[in-house]
Amino acid sequence: MEFHTVDKIQKKALQKSATDFTRLGFALFFMIGVLTFSFLSNGGVSNNLFLAVAALIGAYMAMNIGANDVANNVSPAVGSKALTLTTAIIIAAIFEASGALIAGGDVVKTIKKGIIDISAFGGNPDPFIWAMMAALLAAALWLNFATMMKAPVSTTHSIVGGVMGAGIAAAGFGIVDWGTMGKIAASWVISPLLGGIVAAVFLFAIKKSIVFRDDKIEAAKTYVPVFVSVMSMAFATYIILKGVKHIWPKILGYLNMLPFISLEITKKPSFSLALTIGFIIALFVFFLVRRSISSKITTLENTKNSVNTMFNIPLIFAAALLSFAHGANDVANAIGPLAAINDAVVNGGVSSNASIPFWVMAVGAIGISLGLTLYGPGLIKTVGSEITELDQTRAFSIAMAASITVIIASQLGLPVSSTHIAIGGVFGVGFLREWLHVKDENNHSIEEDSLIIKDEKLNKSAYEYELKTLEEKEIKTQNDYTRIAELYKLIANEKKIIKSTKKSLKKAKKVQYVKRDAIKKIVAAWLITVPAAAILAGILFFTIKGIMI
């Protein structure tokens, strides 16, 4: 029997090793391919080997973004079982790559959020190139470590920390815009707090308007189209503002080619226009969803599970749209520094903006999708099921938080992180579940236990008062002694009841729907992301500088 168990363990270990080796093989093949392509396609440029190495690091960074950050877009759908893990990975990979290639932008600001003053390099490309390479590698290494620890962190904060640390190593503390860094630090609190509040509010609204109703199906017929249309408006506005802003002038140009249309070409869509388009789409979705539910209503049972199934398709669209917007925006975290290095090597100078060749954009797009496919499943499971249990309504609320919070924050000028918002949404629905456990009208145990304790304490006090009175009597009868013995037994019994009920009450109050260990690990990873990436980037800068000089 023991030999059989050992044999099974060995087979599982060999199978896991083979899987790990295969994934590593695909990752190395992609990075070496990028290195080779960059080296051969830039053969006429001096320092082309340095650019090729930077391209390899950019590919490594892109894969780490896919492995860590993309999990936040699809994890709620996977955790709620609206999507299988394989289907979610396929959808996310396609839409991440599409967002990066279609809407990633022709020009990416290479110095993220203006965190360092590039004029401090005095136009000298060498230290600038070393700093960008150190920043890129440091951010990638930190993301790799965080993914291994199953901790979802902000890729933007990782690259920001890398650029800050490398910049300080290259030109001192004066190079950093500390006001911007203060805003980034503020986002550690603002992002998860806003995400958690928005997600909890939507989940509570769904429960009150549908789940807690006696006739759930009739309530769903009324309110599900409203919730889904609100989600449609939020996502349409989100995609227009965040996903297609880079290609907005081209879209307007194509529209102006149609007869009787003459639009003013602007650099990016206004909030009012995006909201208007979103509202029109929401109206269409409202009638479509209402018609769909009406046709299925006779086949649905009056249960919470039936209500959950109505949110399956919206969750699939949410996963796809979040992935598209993420690819369009966060591809810059992988290729922004790479574009800066490419520009400095090719043009021999330092600039805050750099045109990105298509092959560089493709490195980011393919790398993100490949990283998600190879190493994303572990973190998808962590976010989707290991923080709190998710069903479709909870996952829907998290998806709503991810889109609405970014829109609100961008209009108020608040610094936020999409990663922190998504995880905050997961925390929010989990803590709401804990609160509802105490307040749920159908869960009377806590209220009943409290009343029992109160009544038993009154009985015990009455018995103790009677006992004291009898014991203070100077002359006692046989009946008095008998009653005293009975009172001692009654008081002891009351103590047992109170102790048992208190234990039951404490257990009921301590029900936890959010795993505290997961919170501690994730929050700790958030707090040390910027300083960890910064320190690592500084060390790498001096290492690269020492090699090159």
Side-chain angles (χ1 to χ4, degrees):
M1 186 69 180
E2 290 181 3
F3 286 110
H4 180 67
T5 303
V6 171
D7 186 54
K8 284 178 68 177
I9 293 171
Q10 286 178 338
K11 285 181 179 179
K12 286 185 178 180
L14 288 171
Q15 187 178 12
K16 187 178 185 302
S17 297
T19 303
D20 291 342
F21 184 77
T22 302
R23 290 189 298 183
L24 180 61
F26 275 111
L28 289 175
F29 180 79
F30 172 66
M31 289 192 293
I32 292 171
V34 170
L35 173 73
T36 305
F37 178 85
S38 175
F39 182 74
L40 295 177
S41 61
N42 294 286
V45 179
S46 59
N47 286 329
N48 66 321
L49 178 59
F50 210 82
L51 177 57
V53 174
L56 182 144
I57 297 172
Y60 175 53
M61 175 64 173
M63 285 193 294
N64 278 291
I65 290 175
N68 193 287
D69 214 17
V70 179
N72 306 312
N73 302 327
V74 297
S75 294
V78 174
S80 65
K81 295 180 174 59
L83 281 173
T84 64
L85 180 61
T86 302
T87 306
I89 287 174
I90 292 171
I91 289 174
I94 292 171
F95 281 88
E96 282 282 339
S98 300
L101 292 172
I102 296 171
D106 296 323
V107 177
V108 175
K109 182 169 282 190
T110 59
I111 310 303
K112 292 294 292 179
K113 302 181 184 298
I115 58 174
I116 62 172
D117 180 11
I118 61 169
S119 64
F121 290 98
N124 186 358
D126 287 343
F128 177 76
I129 292 172
W130 303 337
M132 290 300 100
M133 185 174 285
L136 195 57
L137 183 55
L141 288 170
W142 169 249
L143 283 174
N144 197 336
F145 174 75
T147 304
M148 288 171 59
M149 298 300 294
K150 294 185 177 181
V153 297
S154 170
T155 55
T156 301
H157 287 184
S158 300
I159 196 66
V160 163
V163 171
M164 181 187 76
I168 291 173
F173 285 91
I175 196 173
V176 179
D177 184 339
W178 294 105
T180 299
M181 294 307 301
K183 291 180 180 179
I184 291 170
S187 74
W188 295 336
V189 177
I190 296 171
S191 298
L193 192 62
L194 278 177
I197 291 171
V198 173
V201 166
F202 270 97
L203 180 59
F204 187 74
I206 292 171
K207 285 184 175 293
K208 277 292 186 182
S209 60
I210 303 173
V211 178
F212 291 163
R213 296 290 182 90
D214 292 331
D215 191 344
K216 295 177 176 59
I217 301 303
E218 190 60 34
K221 182 181 176 182
T222 303
Y223 290 104
V224 168
V226 174
F227 286 118
V228 177
S229 60
V230 170
M231 185 201 79
S232 302
M233 184 169 72
F235 271 105
T237 306
Y238 178 75
I239 291 295
I240 292 169
L241 289 176
K242 295 291 181 180
V244 300
K245 61 183 179 182
H246 301 305
I247 56 172
W248 185 249
K250 291 182 180 179
I251 293 175
L252 295 179
Y254 290 136
L255 289 175
N256 282 335
M257 294 171 65
L258 298 174
F260 310 111
I261 293 181
S262 178
L263 300 171
E264 180 185 353
I265 304 296
T266 56
K267 288 185 178 181
K268 60 181 181 179
S270 65
F271 176 72
S272 58
L273 178 61
L275 198 62
T276 302
I277 296 172
F279 180 74
I280 295 170
I281 293 172
L283 286 177
F284 173 76
V285 169
F286 175 83
F287 292 109
L288 184 67
V289 173
R290 190 169 70 171
R291 182 179 177 182
S292 175
I293 292 175
S294 297
S295 65
K296 296 178 183 178
I297 201 165
T298 55
T299 64
L300 296 172
E301 298 178 358
N302 189 35
T303 63
K304 182 182 176 183
N305 287 336
S306 291
V307 173
N308 274 325
T309 59
M310 299 181 192
F311 291 94
N312 279 338
I313 294 177
L315 275 172
I316 294 171
F317 276 98
L321 293 174
L322 281 172
S323 296
F324 182 89
H326 181 271
N329 284 278
D330 279 33
V331 68
N333 291 327
I335 63 173
L338 176 56
I341 295 169
N342 178 74
D343 182 64
V345 170
V346 173
N347 299 319
V350 180
S351 62
S352 60
N353 292 288
S355 296
I356 297 184
F358 178 79
W359 73 268
V360 175
M361 189 69 74
V363 167
I366 298 171
I368 288 175
S369 298
L370 187 62
L372 168 67
T373 305
L374 296 177
Y375 295 102
L379 211 60
I380 289 174
K381 290 177 183 177
T382 296
V383 178
S385 60
E386 294 179 11
I387 298 175
T388 190
E389 183 182 344
L390 297 178
D391 58 18
Q392 288 91 325
T393 55
R394 296 168 198 154
F396 178 85
S397 301
I398 294 166
M400 289 289 290
S403 58
I404 290 178
T405 306
V406 170
I407 295 170
I408 294 172
S410 63
Q411 294 310 302
L412 295 176
L414 299 174
V416 292
S417 163
S418 59
T419 300
H420 294 183
I421 290 170
I423 304 301
V426 176
F427 290 159
V429 299
F431 285 124
L432 178 67
R433 292 176 65 206
E434 289 187 11
W435 183 77
L436 288 175
H437 174 82
V438 178
K439 299 294 182 180
D440 190 348
E441 295 175 356
N442 296 320
N443 181 13
H444 300 298
S445 61
I446 290 176
E447 184 179 351
E448 287 174 354
D449 284 346
S450 299
L451 291 173
I452 288 171
I453 291 171
K454 186 176 180 180
D455 290 340
E456 298 303 327
K457 281 184 175 180
L458 289 172
N459 291 338
K460 178 171 168 286
S461 296
Y463 294 148
E464 287 174 339
Y465 179 77
E466 185 181 352
L467 177 64
K468 183 180 179 182
T469 302
L470 288 173
E471 287 183 334
E472 288 178 349
K473 287 178 65 175
E474 293 184 2
I475 302 174
K476 299 180 180 67
T477 64
Q478 184 62 39
N479 289 336
D480 289 335
Y481 286 112
T482 302
R483 180 59 180 167
I484 288 171
E486 289 176 354
L487 287 171
Y488 272 113
K489 290 180 181 178
L490 288 170
I491 291 170
N493 188 50
E494 292 299 324
K495 286 181 178 179
K496 286 181 181 179
I497 294 173
I498 292 170
K499 185 178 180 180
S500 175
T501 309
K502 280 184 175 180
K503 189 175 180 180
S504 175
L505 179 63
K506 188 177 181 181
K507 184 178 179 182
K509 285 184 175 181
K510 272 197 168 184
V511 169
Q512 294 182 348
Y513 289 103
V514 181
K515 294 181 180 177
R516 268 48 176 184
D517 289 342
I519 296 176
K520 292 175 184 176
K521 182 176 73 173
I522 291 170
V523 171
W526 287 353
L527 292 175
I528 64 174
T529 289
V530 171
I535 293 169
L536 188 56
I539 294 170
L540 289 171
F541 174 81
F542 286 119
T543 302
I544 295 170
K545 182 179 179 181
I547 294 171
M548 298 306 296
I549 293 177

